Amino acid sequence: MDNLAIIYDEKFLLHAPQFYHPENPQRITSILNLLKEKSFLNDVQIMRPALAPDEYILSAHSGEHLSLVRDSIFEGKNFIDSGDTYVVNDSWIAALLSAGSGLTAVDLVADKKAKNVFCLIRPPGHHAGVSTPMGFCLFNNIAIAAQYALQKYKLNRIAIVDWDVHHGNGTQEIFYDTEKVYYISLHQYPFYPGTGSEEERGAGKGFGYTLNFPLPPRTDGKKYLQLFDQYILTELKNFKPQMILISAGFDAHAKDPLADMKLDENDFALMTIKLNEFADKNNIAIISFLEGGYDLNALAKSVFEHLKILKQ
Ligand SMILES: [Zn+2]
């Protein structure tokens, strides 16, 4: 069994804006270039993702959501929402492969072909809610993967740790009333998309299975690591997840143009170490999904540090 597999398809590059937009194909090519330069890919298997079948997209999204995304793309619209989530004709294949990546990743860890998996994907996913594509996200890739693991492999407890600088409102919404998925997010607050207060703890059976750490601008990596030590690792220990999924955005990096946090690439390595040690100790897998991160250089360096740990 390999320690790390990477899921990637060059069709992710086809989802390309016809104007300047921070969520663009260069994000992925800058990561790949650095990984090649560091010879990181010499002994890591790169797998192509499956296309997500409707059945699993519909486990996280409404039929209206699926139709809205499909119709907007094939009707030739430029934006799918009120203005920040662009689409082009090839966005459809990119979105299906991005959503399918988590399915391939879950199969790989279930078949013991990889201990950890990184989904090097776009469009990102964590803002896409039950019926709302938004925030550069068409389908909620990580939520679809979690639903797949719950349904196909009958898992009962999946932890999602979301350290993208923005609150993953979509993921929170999709799992708000279930005790099977524990959603934990650290994010700048108040900030886009507006959700993610401490009071949002889940509902019904899901009460206590949503945990938000809203953080002020200029929060540094030391604070993030303290929160892992003081709260998050204890929560994970009590929850006993059978799998950890990470919404790995790297836009909390100090150099990121879209946010105001103060992390550096080493902080992403240190957070990964904490989760990886927990996963090793409990003999469970980590599947990490690329979300945000908009300074190309900071993004590539941060992903490289993240992957070095996941490969150990
Ligand atoms: Zn983000």
Side-chain angles (χ1 to χ4, degrees):
M1 176 166 70
D2 290 337
N3 274 348
L4 175 67
I6 293 176
I7 314 271
Y8 171 71
D9 195 298
E10 61 273 10
K11 292 198 179 71
F12 294 140
L13 307 179
L14 299 174
H15 174 63
Q18 293 157 312
F19 41 81
Y20 174 74
H21 193 286
E23 205 297 284
N24 58 56
Q26 286 73 44
R27 296 180 59 235
I28 281 198
T29 45
S30 71
I31 294 168
L32 278 173
N33 287 343
L34 183 67
L35 295 180
K36 282 176 195 157
E37 190 188 311
K38 302 282 186 187
S39 304
F40 187 79
L41 300 175
N42 294 356
D43 57 348
V44 174
Q45 54 167 336
I46 297 197
M47 310 282 294
R48 281 179 193 277
L51 288 164
D54 283 2
E55 175 193 357
Y56 285 106
I57 293 176
L58 293 171
S59 68
H61 297 290
S62 65
E64 291 75 26
H65 183 112
L66 180 58
S67 308
L68 173 65
V69 173
R70 185 159 33 205
D71 296 349
S72 302
I73 291 171
F74 291 115
E75 285 165 12
K77 292 204 171 130
N78 296 317
F79 290 95
I80 207 158
D81 59 358
S82 51
D84 60 3
T85 310
Y86 68 85
V87 283
V88 293
N89 199 49
D90 286 325
S91 298
W92 182 243
I93 183 89
L96 289 186
L97 288 168
S98 201
S101 296
L103 278 52
T104 304
V106 168
D107 285 340
L108 279 175
V109 302
D111 295 344
K112 307 256 180 254
K113 288 186 181 143
K115 184 170 83 72
N116 297 327
V117 183
F118 181 65
C119 298
L120 179 56
I121 58 177
R122 53 181 294 283
H126 74 152
H127 292 306
V130 174
S131 295
T132 42
M134 63 181 274
F136 320 160
C137 302
L138 301 181
F139 297 129
N140 195 313
N141 309 312
I142 198 166
I144 291 167
Q147 294 286 34
Y148 181 72
L150 293 174
Q151 290 172 22
K152 181 166 177 194
Y153 294 102
K154 311 283 177 229
L155 298 194
N156 293 309
R157 293 179 312 281
I158 295 175
I160 297 181
V161 178
D162 185 336
W163 67 50
D164 186 282
V165 79
H166 304 96
H167 181 241
N169 58 300
T171 314
Q172 173 173 296
E173 182 197 10
I174 290 163
F175 298 116
Y176 208 59
D177 57 3
T178 178
E179 76 287 17
K180 294 186 175 178
V181 176
Y182 193 169
Y183 177 72
I184 301 174
S185 176
L186 311 99
H187 47 271
Q188 186 173 328
Y189 186 90
F191 200 45
Y192 183 89
T195 49
S197 72
E198 276 172 2
E199 288 73 40
E200 295 161 36
R201 294 300 323 272
K205 272 190 185 171
F207 185 79
Y209 295 94
T210 291
L211 184 60
N212 286 307
F213 295 94
L215 301 166
R218 308 187 65 77
T219 299
D220 62 11
K222 207 172 140 210
K223 176 70 181 174
Y224 273 68
L225 294 163
Q226 264 175 18
L227 292 172
F228 271 83
D229 288 337
Q230 285 178 353
Y231 302 104
I232 297 173
L233 292 170
T234 310
E235 290 299 312
L236 291 175
K237 205 171 148 197
N238 293 335
F239 181 60
K240 299 186 179 65
Q242 295 159 298
M243 183 180 278
I244 293 177
L245 308 182
I246 304 177
S247 258
F250 298 92
D251 39 10
H253 194 287
K255 295 219 168 84
D256 197 275
L258 297 196
D260 312 295
M261 296 309 220
K262 294 286 162 207
L263 276 64
D264 63 22
E265 48 273 22
N266 191 47
D267 294 319
F268 291 108
L270 294 171
M271 289 194 289
T272 312
I273 287 172
K274 291 189 186 295
L275 292 181
N276 201 40
E277 281 177 357
F278 178 88
D280 279 351
K281 218 162 120 189
N282 292 281
N283 204 20
I284 59 174
I286 294 177
I287 302 175
S288 174
F289 295 76
L290 181 64
E291 300 279 4
Y294 304 98
D295 178 274
L296 297 181
N297 191 30
L299 171 65
K301 285 203 276 192
S302 301
V303 169
F304 178 51
E305 295 303 322
H306 178 55
L307 295 186
K308 278 198 286 187
I309 307 302
L310 290 182
K311 187 166 171 263
Q312 281 173 6

